[in-house]
Every structure is written in C-alpha cells, then in structure tokens.
Amino acid sequence: MENILSEIRQALKDSVDEKTKSNSQNFFKEKIKFYGVRVPLVNKISKESFAIIKDKPKEYILGLCSELWKSEYLEESFMACNWSYNIRSNYETKDFDIFEEWVNTYVNNWASCDTLCNHTIGTFVEMYPQYITKLKEWAKSDNRWVKRAAAVTLIIPARKGLFLNEIFEIADILLLDNDDLVQKGYGWMLKAASEAHQNEVFDYVISKKTIMPRTALRYTIEKMPQDLRIEAMKK
C-alpha cells in the first residue's frame, strides 16, 4: 500500500503546474491543501494508478482511498473519489459506513464534496434507495459539508427523474439555512430535478419563494423558461 501511495504522490509532485498552483486557492473561501496539478492530469495519474490495483479486493482499494483522503490534499481526494467510483459495481450496503466517514471526517471543501457525492455516493443511493433516510439525517447536521452532501448526492438521480418526494423533503430541511454553499447545493439539486419535473419544481419554488433565500431560488430556476424565471423572481 505504501509503495503505490508513494508513487502517486511523487507523480503529483512531478506534475505541478505553476499557474494552477498560484490560482487554485482563489476558488475556495477556506484554506485548501493542494499540489497545484491540473484536474485532467490528476485524472490521468488516477487512471494509470488504478490500472495497477484494479484486481485487488475492494477492501484494499477503499483502504487506499481512505489514506488518500487523510492527506487532505485536494488532488488526492479527487483520486480517492475516482477509485471509489471505479468499483461501483461491487458496492454493498456495508460500504455506506466508509463513505459516511469520508464525508464527516475528511470533506472540507465544495470540490471534494461534490466529486464524492455526485458519483460515488449518488450511485450508491441509486443502488440502495433505503439510504436516502441517511441523507435526511445529513441535512440536519451542524457541518456545512455534510448538509451540502445531503443535497448534491441526489444531483444525478434527480436528472433521471428519481426521488422527487425525497428531494423536496431534503430541500425543506435545508430551506432556511444561512450558508450560501448549502443554499447553492440544494438549489442545484432542485435545478437537476426540474430537468425531469419542471412543473413540480416550479410549483415548489412558488410555494416557498417568500422565505426561500434568493441564492437558492436563482440556482433552482436557472434552466427554466424565461417566463417561469420571471414569475419566480417576482417579489
């Protein structure tokens, strides 16, 4: 395990792009640890490294992912997200505890949150829908990233028209949250749901618009026709 991690970290150090290193912090309000490697190159290193371990047991791969998360480097978190998604066909219900630990313990920025939740955890929830009850618990957390995770986990399922009632339940829990990144997260979730359920999401917005933060509202209606956007934005 140590060998592959050392090789990955050396590859990342050898791939630092000075412009990326200079600009990366600008995308985050919180202090982030990063090497300064462009995302396409991170993904290339991730793919090449995964080819070496792809036949290892799932538990071994998830253990490597946990070690990558522990480093707190942004690029290593992306690689952990890629690897955990790569083994999606082998997900079992017991794996949720590992994913939840990552969210609770290691996720500390919107990029890591969204990459993990959109793909790994979103796919898991599609496979095991009973775990949406866990997302509703996350939505009540004191941790901004756990709350955002509750929403962004459902982005891709929402685009497929899935889980509309549960999406509205999670939006209700997060509705009055003061954190702009939480507002943007559940607004994005509702926007994704509107791709398959435009009328239902529009009706939801109209029913909540007197109390819904404008940030969340604008995210929600972004892809709707202009006449509906105008109606929703009326005071």
Side-chain angles (χ1 to χ4, degrees):
M1 185 178 285
E2 286 301 319
N3 285 345
I4 184 99
L5 292 174
S6 297
E7 290 171 8
I8 287 166
R9 286 164 180 160
Q10 189 59 53
L12 289 169
K13 290 173 185 175
D14 292 342
S15 303
V16 170
D17 174 73
E18 289 304 322
K19 183 177 179 182
T20 301
K21 187 174 182 179
S22 298
N23 294 339
S24 291
Q25 185 60 59
N26 297 338
F27 296 98
F28 303 94
K29 295 180 180 178
E30 52 285 315
K31 186 68 176 175
I32 298 296
K33 283 179 67 175
F34 53 86
Y35 292 93
V37 182
R38 294 174 63 247
V39 172
L41 194 47
V42 174
N43 291 338
K44 181 175 182 288
I45 296 168
S46 173
K47 184 177 180 179
E48 291 170 350
S49 302
F50 185 76
I52 298 170
I53 62 167
K54 63 184 177 64
D55 294 325
K56 296 284 190 181
K58 179 184 66 176
E59 290 71 22
Y60 176 85
I61 295 172
L62 291 177
L64 282 173
C65 292
S66 292
E67 291 303 311
L68 291 169
W69 277 109
K70 287 176 186 176
S71 78
E72 298 185 352
Y73 276 93
L74 185 66
E75 293 91 344
E76 292 192 34
S77 78
F78 290 164
M79 296 182 73
C81 293
N82 290 342
W83 288 4
S84 61
Y85 183 62
N86 286 347
I87 58 173
R88 59 193 177 278
S89 61
N90 295 322
Y91 289 167
E92 302 170 85
T93 54
K94 65 180 182 179
D95 298 328
F96 186 83
D97 291 341
I98 296 171
F99 302 153
E100 186 170 45
E101 180 185 9
W102 294 348
V103 172
N104 281 318
T105 307
Y106 303 120
V107 169
N108 61 6
N109 64 82
W110 62 264
S112 295
C113 180
D114 297 357
T115 305
L116 173 64
C117 294
N118 283 178
H119 303 292
T120 294
I121 304 180
T123 298
F124 177 92
V125 169
E126 278 195 53
M127 293 171 67
Y128 303 105
Q130 64 269 33
Y131 280 83
I132 290 184
T133 58
K134 286 286 191 176
L135 302 185
K136 295 173 189 175
E137 293 175 14
W138 289 6
K140 298 173 184 177
S141 172
D142 293 330
N143 182 321
R144 71 188 309 195
W145 306 117
V146 177
K147 287 187 285 188
R148 183 177 172 97
V152 300
T153 291
L154 294 178
I155 298 298
I156 293 176
R159 288 175 180 156
K160 299 176 182 179
L162 301 175
F163 309 136
L164 184 64
N165 291 335
E166 292 82 0
I167 284 167
F168 287 149
E169 289 178 41
I170 289 171
D172 280 344
I173 296 169
L174 299 174
L175 189 68
L176 301 180
D177 199 279
N178 291 322
D179 191 316
D180 68 322
L181 286 171
V182 174
Q183 294 171 14
K184 291 173 181 177
Y186 84 76
W188 184 18
M189 173 183 68
L190 289 169
K191 175 172 62 178
S194 75
E195 294 181 31
H197 298 288
Q198 178 178 280
N199 291 339
E200 293 90 336
V201 174
F202 178 74
D203 290 344
Y204 178 86
V205 169
I206 293 300
S207 72
K208 307 290 186 182
K209 73 172 191 173
T210 58
I211 58 172
M212 191 179 199
R214 301 296 271 186
T215 296
L217 194 155
R218 284 193 293 270
Y219 262 68
T220 301
I221 64 175
E222 186 177 8
K223 290 192 173 182
M224 291 186 183
Q226 184 178 10
D227 60 328
L228 297 185
R229 297 200 308 271
I230 291 171
E231 181 65 27
M233 291 298 290
K234 284 180 182 177
K235 294 289 187 179

